[in-house]
Amino acid sequence: MDTHDISAPPRAQSRHTADKHPNRRTGGLAHDNSRHTTRFTVIGNHLAQHPELSALAIGLGVHIQSLPAGARADINTLATRFPEGRTRIAAALRELETHGYLRRERHRVPDGRIITRTISCNQPGSSRRDPAPAHTSTAPKKRTPRKPLPAVPRPAYPAPALIQQATDLLTDLRRHAPDLLLSACDTAHLAPGVAAWLERDVTPTAVRHALTADLPPEGVRRPAALLAHRLTAQLPPPPAFQAPPSPRAVLHPLQNCEGCERAFRAPGPGRCRDCRPDL
């Protein structure tokens, strides 16, 4: 009966078998996981391992999906939370918008302000609001006509100098708020509204403050429409009527009466009331 040689070395593992377990040769990633039961968020690998998003965009996407409903997710809030700065955070948010992980909707609140609501999509393309089209058309899309600007107040007396002053004020707005860069056409449309304010004894400084204060932190998409709304909704009342002052009584110089030599007031030399025969 044959016996096995226990001193013989074991048979070497084939190269083909070793290739099936690369981690044994390279020491790759290993996970030490524990099951979460509270305070966790389910994140899809399509975001966490997205082949086109930057690391900052993926990180912001994960952070935004972990926030509760109603939390602020604008550029200023995120720049306060993270050290990357407004410019890089804004670029990362645009990446997330491009790939469908963020959607921004504008809404008008009862007091007339326009706010932006950020909507986080954990599975882009699966929202019921954006159903997939039944077919894909290769025809070029028709350009949507631009919505006309709202009407603005008009001055009672549109003097050329008043309109020019209003035009100069609108042109100068971009120095105080870069988002309020207006075209020549928009400036001509808004100038009568500004003139109506100036006509009501509102100073140029007060008009500028009313137009530039409390702008949306994420930027203004249609500055001319926003300014037209403010010029109409916040138009101050006309100034209170002031009666013209009554004319002051004329005080004539003193004259010496030619009859009694007493002093009296009159436009020129003559006699006083007591010495005039006709009185």
Side-chain angles (χ1 to χ4, degrees):
M1 182 176 180
D2 295 335
T3 59
H4 295 284
D5 185 0
I6 59 175
S7 63
R11 183 169 51 186
Q13 186 179 17
S14 67
R15 182 177 182 182
H16 177 73
T17 305
D19 290 342
K20 293 182 179 180
H21 304 281
N23 288 347
R24 296 180 181 177
R25 297 184 297 107
T26 61
L29 175 66
H31 294 280
D32 184 6
N33 295 337
S34 299
R35 183 179 180 82
H36 291 285
T37 58
T38 59
R39 294 180 55 81
F40 66 93
T41 303
V42 178
I43 302 294
N45 283 342
H46 51 81
L47 171 60
Q49 302 177 11
H50 200 286
E52 298 179 10
L53 289 176
S54 63
L56 178 57
I58 293 175
L60 282 180
V62 171
H63 173 73
I64 292 173
Q65 290 192 20
S66 70
L67 295 176
R72 296 184 63 86
D74 56 89
I75 296 175
N76 290 336
T77 302
L78 295 173
T80 303
R81 170 65 177 79
F82 297 104
E84 279 74 11
R86 287 173 49 87
T87 302
R88 294 185 60 193
I89 287 178
L93 292 178
R94 286 194 294 270
E95 289 184 59
L96 293 173
E97 283 188 88
T98 302
H99 290 86
Y101 289 97
L102 282 186
R103 187 171 68 247
R104 298 182 184 181
E105 297 179 353
R106 292 179 176 266
H107 300 272
R108 188 182 300 277
V109 294
D111 62 0
R113 293 182 299 111
I114 298 178
I115 64 173
T116 300
R117 181 174 301 163
T118 301
I119 300 176
S120 174
C121 308
N122 66 341
Q123 292 190 26
S126 63
S127 174
R128 295 179 180 179
R129 298 183 182 180
D130 302 318
H135 63 279
T136 303
S137 175
T138 58
K141 295 181 179 180
K142 295 182 179 180
R143 185 175 181 180
T144 304
R146 181 183 179 185
K147 186 178 180 181
L149 292 175
V152 296
R154 299 281 173 173
Y157 302 98
L162 182 64
I163 299 297
Q164 185 59 48
Q165 184 183 8
T167 301
D168 294 341
L169 190 150
L170 288 168
T171 305
D172 188 61
L173 287 181
R174 63 174 178 263
R175 297 178 54 190
H176 303 271
D179 288 341
L180 300 182
L181 178 61
L182 302 171
S183 66
C185 182
D186 292 340
T187 302
H189 177 84
L190 297 172
V194 175
W197 283 54
L198 298 174
E199 190 181 51
R200 300 186 177 207
D201 290 343
V202 182
T203 64
T205 302
V207 177
R208 185 182 302 110
H209 177 74
L211 298 180
T212 59
D214 298 328
L215 295 177
E218 66 278 0
V220 182
R221 186 168 299 179
R222 293 190 65 198
L226 173 65
L227 296 181
H229 170 75
R230 290 191 173 187
L231 288 172
T232 304
Q234 303 178 21
L235 180 66
F241 174 76
Q242 296 181 356
S246 57
R248 297 178 58 183
V250 179
L251 189 64
H252 296 297
L254 291 173
Q255 309 289 344
N256 288 329
C257 178
E258 295 177 354
C260 64
E261 295 187 352
R262 289 185 299 178
F264 71 100
R265 292 187 179 276
R271 295 175 179 270
C272 65
R273 292 175 62 90
D274 296 335
C275 297
R276 292 175 59 183
D278 55 341
L279 296 177

